[in-house]
Amino acid sequence: MAVFWKILVKYRMLFIGGLKITLIVSILTIIFGTFFGILMSFMKMSKIKPIRWFANAYVEFIRGTPVLVQISLVFYGLPMMGIVIPSIMIGDIDISRLSAGIIALTINTTAYICEIVRGGIISVDRGQTEAALALGMGNARTLICIVLPQAMKNILPSMGNEFITIIKTSSQVSVIGIGELMYAADTIRGISFEPMAPLIIVALIYFLITSVFSIILNNLEKRMARSTQRL
Amino acid sequence: MQTVSNEKIITIEHLSKNYNTLPVLKDINLTVNKGEVIAIIGPSGSGKSTMLRCLNALETISGGEIFYKDKPVSKMKKYSKLREEVGMVFQHFNLFSHMTVLENIIYAPMKVKKRAKDTIVIEATNLLEAVGLKEKKDVYPEMLSGGQKQRVAIARALAMQPEVLLFDEPTSALDPEMVGEVLSVMKNLAKTGMTMLIVTHEMGFAREVADRVIFMDEGYIMEDGTPEDVFENTQNQRVKAFLSKML
């Protein structure tokens, strides 16, 4: 037990730094992934064939390849494609690496959220769309203001699941040298010659973050369920 | 029954509709005058609902043409203008489940017709009062009975101030004890001179309220006349057979 406390106290700044990066990466990936995932689900249901084909191919490719490969592909591939994100340092954070990590995770998550949202949209009764159209609403308004809010309510549990997966998957961006929690654990293992304690500490930190997320999402679910029952 | 003018509002000419290779409507010809209340009856699968849904372009037509105020529907680039004027009440109500009763009613007038919220809220409250549901305005649809939902749906359609209202079997999904409350709202509406096309299995209602009754079978209009013509004096064997089963 003593060794845990020693490691935790001695390297607390590394753990805190790692936690910060993990949270930044996860939250930004959740925000961008939700946005692009919804967009991709619209594309997958588009009447225009090439758009639908692109979305289908995208989802199949991303789901069929490992996230670790995707992260490296983005990190080494972006500069080769001429997209160079300047290596600005904000505090001790390397923006170039961080962006590559967030972009890669967003690309990955978009595919999964696309499928979740699409399932949610399909689950909304066709009559809702017809009623909206019959009132003179356009296709876009019908989809975004009538169908999507109802779909979101249905898919909230699956979305919560996906968000928690994102938090855990964010540990994989340590391979491109982003100083998040997993990276901090590896660093501390190297310098302290303690093989287990740093790993167990970050495992507990991950568990803490995902638990907090679960609680928030559960409350949100309950609140949304209540909103339709209010008298 | 009253205030039926000779001003044509909808003209259907040689309308046909196929689902893939299955013909549903074969050769429909019909003129609807402003203020007319038309009941459309006939066996299931005869194309009644499909015809109704062609009138607000929820179904695309395969042949012929529908004219709304002399404008051909199939040539319209956007159907939203047509749908603002031709409202619809559905068998399964289709109230927006994430909105309260009041929000359901005011949403389209606000967002589609871009009218001021204050005036619409007053109008919506009056409409709710007219259908006897004023006290339910802040309730979500889930909390309403079928009959109440359908009355809200009628109020929602009326809030758009339509020229024509289409009713697609408005009482078919209701428990028997709730049919009356919806029919009485529709009866009152008919008295105001609203142009109404009603697909229905309520023969008593059709007979009492409609100016004209249309009998459809196998994708054709087989009989078109006053309630007396159709219910009492018809010579058509199919109509007779259908009515004897219904009454």
Side-chain angles (χ1 to χ4, degrees):
Chain A
M1 222 30 214
V3 69
F4 281 89
W5 283 117
K6 212 184 77 191
I7 297 282
L8 189 59
V9 172
K10 191 169 176 193
Y11 299 109
R12 63 182 180 283
M13 291 322 284
L14 278 173
F15 285 119
I16 291 170
L19 173 64
K20 217 163 62 186
I21 304 287
T22 290
L23 286 178
I24 291 172
V25 171
S26 303
I27 289 169
L28 288 179
T29 301
I30 286 171
I31 293 169
F32 294 142
T34 304
F35 176 79
F36 288 113
I38 291 171
L39 202 69
M40 191 64 73
S41 74
F42 292 169
M43 289 169 68
K44 211 171 166 176
M45 289 182 289
S46 167
K47 285 186 192 122
I48 305 159
K49 275 183 185 164
I51 293 182
R52 214 162 60 219
W53 289 335
F54 168 79
N56 272 324
Y58 178 92
V59 170
E60 289 312 318
F61 180 75
I62 296 299
R63 283 200 307 192
T65 49
V67 66
L68 210 51
V69 176
Q70 293 163 8
I71 291 167
S72 293
L73 270 176
V74 169
F75 182 64
Y76 298 111
L78 282 186
M80 287 178 74
M81 283 159 62
I83 304 165
V84 181
I85 302 156
S87 257
I88 309 163
M89 300 294 286
I90 296 179
D92 48 0
I93 302 167
D94 179 350
I95 293 300
S96 155
R97 281 173 196 275
L98 189 71
S99 318
I102 293 168
I103 291 170
L105 287 182
T106 299
I107 287 174
N108 179 265
T109 270
T110 294
Y112 292 94
I113 291 185
C114 162
E115 287 300 273
I116 295 172
V117 173
R118 196 174 65 94
I121 288 174
I122 291 169
S123 77
V124 174
D125 181 41
R126 169 95 192 129
Q128 295 285 315
T129 303
E130 289 189 350
L133 293 177
L135 286 164
M137 293 181 211
N139 287 326
R141 179 181 293 284
T142 300
L143 185 57
I144 294 166
C145 302
I146 303 298
V147 177
L148 195 58
Q150 299 184 52
M152 279 302 178
K153 201 181 132 190
N154 295 343
I155 61 176
L156 205 61
S158 328
M159 287 293 268
N161 209 13
E162 182 59 25
F163 292 165
I164 283 167
T165 303
I166 291 171
I167 295 170
K168 293 182 296 178
T169 311
S170 75
S171 64
Q172 310 228 27
V173 299
S174 58
V175 292
I176 55 169
I178 296 176
E180 45 67 72
L181 270 176
M182 188 61 205
Y183 189 86
D186 285 338
T187 310
I188 296 164
R189 287 172 78 202
I191 52 183
S192 67
F193 302 108
E194 273 297 334
M196 283 307 284
L199 284 177
I200 291 170
I201 291 169
V202 293
L204 289 174
I205 299 176
Y206 275 117
F207 184 60
L208 196 73
I209 310 173
T210 53
S211 301
V212 170
F213 247 81
S214 285
I215 292 167
I216 295 172
L217 285 162
N218 278 334
N219 282 330
L220 196 66
E221 236 173 89
K222 273 188 203 135
R223 245 195 21 223
M224 284 185 91
R226 218 181 304 136
S227 80
T228 55
Q229 285 166 16
R230 185 174 75 199
L231 264 173
Chain B
M1 226 158 260
Q2 44 108 54
T3 62
V4 175
S5 66
N6 288 324
E7 187 189 339
K8 278 186 237 159
I9 192 157
I10 293 172
T11 310
I12 306 176
E13 286 179 359
H14 304 295
L15 167 65
S16 64
K17 166 78 185 171
N18 310 321
Y19 286 116
N20 297 320
T21 55
L22 178 78
V24 183
L25 300 176
K26 287 165 190 161
D27 184 20
I28 302 283
N29 294 282
L30 181 70
T31 305
V32 181
N33 294 319
K34 200 166 162 50
E36 243 179 338
V37 176
I38 301 180
I40 303 162
I41 61 170
S44 13
S46 59
K48 309 181 297 288
S49 290
T50 306
M51 184 188 85
L52 204 68
R53 290 162 58 85
C54 287
L55 297 182
N56 68 346
L58 278 184
E59 302 285 350
T60 53
I61 64 179
S62 310
E65 187 58 275
I66 296 170
F67 297 90
Y68 174 72
K69 290 186 174 170
D70 297 329
K71 289 188 286 281
V73 170
S74 70
K75 303 280 190 304
M76 292 178 184
K77 285 202 180 65
K78 277 169 71 183
Y79 298 128
S80 49
K81 282 283 167 239
L82 169 77
R83 289 164 177 162
E84 282 179 39
E85 294 186 21
V86 182
M88 190 173 226
V89 173
F90 297 87
Q91 181 178 1
H92 295 287
F93 334 122
N94 299 345
L95 294 180
F96 304 135
S97 67
H98 62 305
M99 296 183 187
T100 64
V101 164
L102 186 70
E103 286 163 356
N104 261 281
I105 298 173
I106 65 175
Y107 188 82
M110 245 167 66
K111 301 291 181 182
V112 178
K113 290 190 125 182
K114 314 266 183 224
R115 297 180 54 214
K117 189 177 176 184
D118 324 3
T119 38
I120 303 166
V121 170
I122 296 167
E123 287 175 18
T125 316
N126 291 340
L127 283 168
L128 278 173
E129 194 164 17
V131 300
L133 291 168
K134 199 179 172 188
E135 73 285 4
K136 298 282 187 194
K137 73 178 170 59
D138 295 319
V139 164
Y140 282 88
E142 207 180 347
M143 299 301 295
L144 300 176
S145 72
Q148 291 172 330
K149 282 184 194 167
Q150 196 59 298
R151 286 186 279 155
V152 172
I154 294 172
R156 177 174 73 174
L158 287 174
M160 289 296 283
Q161 302 172 324
E163 298 271 335
V164 182
L165 257 190
L166 311 173
F167 292 83
D168 188 6
E169 304 200 26
T171 58
S172 298
L174 296 177
D175 292 335
E177 74 266 26
M178 291 170 184
V179 170
E181 62 189 65
V182 171
L183 292 183
S184 101
V185 166
M186 290 168 63
K187 212 180 289 180
N188 290 336
L189 191 58
K191 285 183 198 143
T192 66
M194 172 66 74
T195 311
M196 296 161 75
L197 280 90
I198 308 160
V199 172
T200 185
H201 295 292
E202 297 291 328
M203 295 303 141
F205 174 79
R207 194 176 200 151
E208 185 190 346
V209 179
D211 302 305
R212 243 168 105 190
V213 175
I214 284 168
F215 176 84
M216 282 183 71
D217 196 10
E218 293 180 352
Y220 294 103
I221 291 178
M222 298 254 175
E223 191 83 292
D224 177 355
T226 64
E228 285 114 68
D229 290 343
V230 177
F231 286 110
E232 276 141 43
N233 307 326
T234 183
Q235 297 307 312
N236 189 313
Q237 287 309 312
R238 281 176 195 271
V239 184
K240 280 185 178 168
F242 173 75
L243 289 174
S244 70
K245 263 184 261 167
M246 293 299 290
L247 297 170

